[in-house]
Structures are given as structure tokens and as C-alpha cells.
Amino acid sequence: MKKILTLTLLMSLLFISCSSDDDSDTLVPTVAATINPPTWTQGTWTLSSGSIKGFKFTKNDFCQVLKNDVESCYIELITSHNKAYLINEVEESATAENYNIAIKLNNKSTKYHFRRGADLDTLGNYHIYWVIPSKIPEVPDTEHELINTNPILPPPPPPPATFR
């Protein structure tokens, strides 16, 4: 009986000393992607028709505005995916006339293309168009004009100093 008890005690010590080291598998969150829309897009833009109400561009975010005025902003989605250790990527390209953004959130990719028109609206902002590419090469892309309802305008210059 003494030998069985000693053998059981030794086996218990062997299992305890051979436990795995969990510290080597520590998850490190991915670096959150950034979004930097060009200044000519910044503001809140609405669509005259469609399943979404429009888009909102800020200095460092891009949001879809849904029909019930709820905003679905991508920086918030990227941050929540980052905290959950999921992959997120943003690819942007911007020129004076075009802005393309591709957002990948945990293997789901969404792409947008916006084009700046040559003419100005009554507020002095450029018209912009949401361009939806055609899946058929012979059919041209579809463009939806966006109406700037809440432009983000630069602050006015300070008044000139007065001397007395």
C-alpha cells in the first residue's frame, strides 16, 4: 500500500511540473487602421434615393448614414474588431477628383468610390458622386449625386486688427 501511495504522489508531481506555459500564446491586438478622407469630401452627404440615406466624412472617419439617421462609422467598427483581435485593413487612394476606400473587417471587404464634380453647389462646395462600378464591362458605372447637407467648412479668417 505504501508503494502505491508513493507512486501516486510521484505521478501527481510529474503532471504538475509538466503543465503548459500559457504566456507564450498571448494575443496581441492588430494595429487599428486609420481613415483619412480628402477635405473635398468632408461633410454630411445625402442621397435622393436608395437603401441608405447618405455618407458622413470627417477628418479621420467615414460613416454610412442609414434611413433612420443612425450612423455606422468605420473607425468604431475597426476599433471593436481590433479589441477582439480580428484583422482589419483600410486601403485609400485620393486625388483632386477621386477618392477610393476599401475596408476589410475580418475577411469581409467593402469598397467605395467617390468622384468630385467640376461645378460648385450653392454653398460653394463641389458636387460629389458615389460611383458604383458595373459588373458588366459593356455597361457604364452608375453614379449617384450626393447633396451636401452639413458641410465641414474651414473656420473663417480672423478679423483684421484695429489700431487706435
Side-chain angles (χ1 to χ4, degrees), residues 44 52-56 63-67 69-72:
T44 302
I52 63 171
K53 188 173 183 178
F55 301 99
K56 180 179 178 183
C63 310
Q64 277 190 2
V65 181
L66 306 176
K67 288 290 185 186
D69 289 328
V70 172
E71 293 179 3
S72 176

Side-chain angles (χ1 to χ4, degrees), residues 61-79:
D61 204 354
F62 168 58
C63 310
Q64 277 190 2
V65 181
L66 306 176
K67 288 290 185 186
N68 56 359
D69 289 328
V70 172
E71 293 179 3
S72 176
C73 296
Y74 280 100
I75 286 296
E76 183 178 336
L77 293 171
I78 289 168
T79 302

Side-chain angles (χ1 to χ4, degrees), residues 54-108:
F55 301 99
K56 180 179 178 183
F57 298 89
T58 65
K59 183 178 177 182
N60 56 5
D61 204 354
F62 168 58
C63 310
Q64 277 190 2
V65 181
L66 306 176
K67 288 290 185 186
N68 56 359
D69 289 328
V70 172
E71 293 179 3
S72 176
C73 296
Y74 280 100
I75 286 296
E76 183 178 336
L77 293 171
I78 289 168
T79 302
S80 65
H81 276 75
N82 190 47
K83 288 180 181 175
Y85 305 102
L86 300 173
I87 296 170
N88 57 76
E89 297 173 2
V90 173
E91 290 182 23
E92 292 177 288
S93 67
T95 66
E97 292 85 25
N98 290 288
Y99 174 56
N100 293 293
I101 182 167
I103 302 167
K104 184 176 180 182
L105 298 172
N106 197 32
N107 298 326
K108 183 178 182 224

Side-chain angles (χ1 to χ4, degrees), residues 38-47 55-57 62 96-99 113-121 125-131 143-148:
T39 54
W40 58 265
T41 63
Q42 294 177 16
T44 302
W45 302 82
T46 59
L47 289 162
F55 301 99
K56 180 179 178 183
F57 298 89
F62 168 58
E97 292 85 25
N98 290 288
Y99 174 56
H113 175 199
F114 298 94
R115 181 182 67 79
R116 185 182 86 175
D119 53 333
L120 300 174
D121 65 13
N125 297 290
Y126 285 99
H127 289 274
I128 67 170
Y129 301 87
W130 176 27
V131 181
E143 291 191 352
H144 298 278
E145 183 176 5
L146 301 173
I147 301 162
N148 194 335

